[in-house]
Amino acid sequence: MSVFIKGGTVVNADRSHRADVVCDGGNIVAVGNDLDAPKGATVIDAGGQYVMPGGIDPHTHMQLPFMGTVASEDFESGTAAGLAGGTTMIIDFVIPSPQQNILDAYRQWREWAEKSVADYSFHVAITWWDDSVYKDMGTLVHEHGVNSFKHFMAYKGAIMADDEILVNSFSRAFELGAIVTVHAENGELVYRLQKELFEKGLTGPEAHPLSRPPECEGEAANRAIRIAEVLKVPLYVVHNSCRQSLEAITRARNEGQRVFGEVLAGHLLIDDSVYRHKDFDVAAAHVMSPPFRSTEHQDALWRGLQSGNLQTTATDHCCFCADQKAAGKDDFRLIPNGTGGVENRMEVLWHHGVNSGKLTMNEFVRVTSSNAAQIFNIYPQKGSVSVGADADIVVWDPEATKTISTKTDHQNVDYNIFEGMKIKGCASHTVSRGNVVWADGKLDVERGAGRYVNRPPFASYYDALKLQAQHAEPVAVKR
Ligand code: URQ
Ligand code: ZN
Ligand code: ZN
């Protein structure tokens, strides 16, 4: 199938320019002025619209088995919902149970993801340690295109990685040329605060944010940063929700350490008043970790994006319906943690970021696509409208308006955290690997059309580090 996108303005991370785009055989084959449409091509009139790299959501959990249930969104429905919002690739997570062989877990998630309708890749979580984990991390890097390993510093008694696991895994990742990522909350502190609050009789969702204050996040972010600093491994901190973790990242980056930060669309736009909603279902629908914070933190996070101290946006799309959240009706600690958003990330960021002047269109492309592609080493295959790149493209209509609602979205969950939000600017067309999959408000997707995206290890970081180490050697003084 060939696609001819005519009359639009191409917006990449580095520049915007009027150009037509030709896609053929799944790739972009021409970008330029006054091009001719290939014979039989599907033509998209992009006049007055922006032609941008398809969004990359570097943090999702489709059909995740978690807290005694399974997330309601699976890889087919979740990637379809992403396409409807302009996201053409997700990076999801393989999360082995402690003591589960990590290659077995990887194969399980690969099987689940076969039905995806858009491209996907996996971070692999290290939730336990022994020599087999050391060896299997190497197999994942050398044979399966994994270049990022996740560590949950929260969730004590489940998947929490203690310092011993962090140190072992970070060291191994350095040897392999991989990057490490963390969910940064001090799991011991959270566990203690949860217990104290519950025993005081605070059993509802209003206790959730009180049990995970920003200080718990700031401590863990700083600890992960310092461990990565000593072990010289690049670090990516997922879902920064507060000023404290952003300050830790900013300090490290100012000192030249390779630390990257992610922020969720939800943490930029939703505050902690949701947990005090009188309706349990509404409050519980917002239970995710780290929790939504007070507005001072949102202001800090927006500044983090604008300053470049936060590089990517994501959703942490991990959906649980009301009947699943009800597990915590009498004990907030049992409410499955997770919220959705994969369909709305780009439009809410455009409306609140670009329309408000906080972000330029090019910065929008950086934080929704190109930076994630570069950090996870798949640029410019992904994250760029340029010849040779995958034909993953979103045609963006800046004049289109909509009111976000679970009644009209495509996500398989019964609550949308952006419910009722009016936005201006959204995807009119989405092209995935050269196929028009979203047009005129309709999805046209094929089960299993999504491809697994290999992500090679980072030679560049490690070459730079080796050079740095060579130059750091004390010069032998000739006697
Ligand atoms: O912690 C995560 O990222 C997963 C388990 C999704 N849930 C959440 O509350 N963030
Ligand atoms: Zn997390
Ligand atoms: Zn997550």
Side-chain angles (χ1 to χ4, degrees):
M1 173 189 204
S2 58
V3 180
F4 181 55
I5 305 170
K6 76 181 170 87
T9 298
V10 169
V11 181
N12 276 315
D14 58 345
R15 72 178 181 124
S16 311
H17 59 115
R18 238 266 335 112
D20 303 330
V21 179
V22 181
C23 310
D24 194 28
N27 292 101
I28 296 171
V29 296
V31 178
N33 277 316
D34 308 323
L35 299 180
D36 294 327
K39 198 166 166 353
T42 300
V43 180
I44 295 174
D45 179 356
Q49 300 187 67
Y50 300 114
V51 182
M52 303 190 287
I56 298 171
D57 188 338
H59 191 155
T60 62
H61 301 278
M62 304 304 176
Q63 64 191 87
L64 174 70
F66 189 55
M67 295 181 72
T69 184
V70 177
S72 55
E73 189 88 82
D74 70 21
F75 280 95
E76 181 176 8
S77 60
T79 47
L83 290 173
T87 288
T88 53
M89 179 181 173
I90 62 171
I91 308 183
D92 207 282
F93 293 82
V94 174
I95 308 181
S97 305
Q99 307 305 319
Q100 179 187 13
N101 176 277
I102 64 175
L103 290 179
D104 289 348
Y106 170 77
R107 281 187 278 271
Q108 172 65 78
W109 257 268
R110 284 292 308 267
E111 200 180 301
W112 286 339
E114 283 291 312
K115 54 185 174 291
S116 300
V117 300
D119 284 5
Y120 58 92
S121 191
F122 286 112
H123 311 288
V124 176
I126 303 301
T127 56
W128 66 289
W129 191 262
D130 75 0
D131 293 347
S132 76
V133 176
Y134 177 91
K135 187 170 74 52
D136 293 345
M137 284 174 76
T139 306
L140 287 168
V141 170
H142 297 136
E143 298 174 25
H144 296 284
V146 172
N147 70 20
S148 51
F149 291 99
K150 171 75 174 291
H151 307 77
F152 291 92
M153 300 170 77
Y155 306 127
K156 176 179 168 68
I159 53 177
M160 185 174 97
D162 63 15
D163 284 6
E164 183 181 6
I165 293 173
L166 295 181
V167 168
N168 284 328
S169 179
F170 282 27
S171 306
R172 180 57 168 152
F174 175 79
E175 285 174 6
L176 294 166
I179 190 167
V180 292
T181 86
V182 291
H183 171 135
E185 288 184 292
N186 182 310
E188 295 291 350
L189 275 174
V190 168
Y191 184 80
R192 166 62 68 96
L193 294 174
Q194 284 181 326
K195 190 167 176 294
E196 287 177 355
L197 286 156
F198 185 76
E199 286 168 358
K200 275 185 200 150
L202 267 167
T203 61
E206 72 283 0
H208 178 68
L210 305 176
S211 69
R212 325 177 78 99
E215 293 75 11
C216 289
E217 187 176 341
E219 184 281 329
N222 190 58
R223 180 157 37 105
I225 287 168
R226 289 300 190 181
I227 294 171
E229 179 186 24
V230 171
L231 298 176
K232 298 188 179 6
V233 65
L235 170 70
Y236 178 94
V237 183
V238 308
H239 53 41
N240 290 277
S241 75
C242 63
R243 176 175 49 76
Q244 286 82 342
S245 61
L246 173 59
E247 283 171 352
I249 293 171
T250 304
R251 182 205 57 76
R253 288 179 62 85
N254 287 344
E255 294 184 7
Q257 188 178 344
R258 274 197 187 86
V259 178
F260 304 105
E262 172 194 280
V263 60
L264 304 186
H267 283 134
L268 285 165
L269 296 164
I270 296 167
D271 69 55
D272 57 358
S273 61
V274 294
Y275 297 115
R276 297 184 286 277
H277 196 284
K278 60 184 178 6
D279 180 338
F280 170 86
D281 285 350
V282 173
H286 290 88
V287 167
M288 62 93 60
S289 295
F292 298 114
R293 305 285 188 189
S294 61
T295 49
E296 62 148 313
H297 295 286
Q298 286 149 38
D299 296 342
L301 294 171
W302 275 110
R303 289 195 298 276
L305 270 187
Q306 291 173 297
S307 65
N309 283 310
L310 294 173
Q311 291 78 30
T312 65
T313 60
T315 61
D316 201 356
H317 189 85
C318 186
C319 297
F320 300 102
C321 294
D323 61 337
Q324 296 173 288
K325 293 278 190 174
K329 194 89 177 130
D330 303 318
D331 182 347
F332 70 92
R333 297 171 297 185
L334 305 180
I335 299 173
N337 283 208
T339 54
V342 73
E343 182 168 356
N344 311 119
R345 175 180 64 116
M346 294 178 80
E347 56 204 21
V348 300
L349 274 164
W350 180 275
H351 182 74
H352 293 281
V354 179
N355 291 348
S356 70
K358 290 191 181 77
L359 299 173
T360 66
M361 295 190 291
N362 310 94
E363 289 165 343
F364 172 84
V365 168
R366 275 183 224 149
V367 302
T368 57
S369 182
S370 310
N371 284 353
Q374 290 177 352
I375 292 168
F376 295 111
N377 212 17
I378 48 177
Y379 183 86
Q381 175 197 349
K382 302 290 188 186
S384 172
V385 177
S386 54
V387 174
D390 288 357
D392 286 359
I393 295 170
V394 57
V395 180
W396 199 263
D397 181 351
E399 296 307 317
T401 59
K402 71 186 266 195
T403 300
I404 294 174
S405 171
T406 195
K407 296 183 191 63
T408 48
D409 74 26
H410 299 80
Q411 299 174 143
N412 185 27
V413 64
D414 56 8
Y415 191 88
N416 189 314
I417 56 173
F418 302 111
E419 186 71 31
M421 186 181 282
K422 295 189 186 329
I423 56 99
K424 182 177 180 185
C426 59
S428 67
H429 299 76
T430 305
V431 178
S432 172
R433 286 250 185 195
N435 294 302
V436 181
V437 290
W438 170 254
D440 310 319
K442 287 194 189 60
L443 278 166
D444 178 11
V445 294
E446 181 194 337
R447 179 183 169 94
R451 296 279 178 280
Y452 175 74
V453 178
N454 280 297
R455 294 180 290 114
F458 301 79
S460 56
Y461 288 146
Y462 291 87
D463 293 348
L465 280 168
K466 282 186 204 120
L467 279 172
Q468 220 175 358
Q470 279 163 12
H471 286 82
E473 286 302 309
V475 178
V477 177
K478 285 197 178 44
R479 293 269 172 240

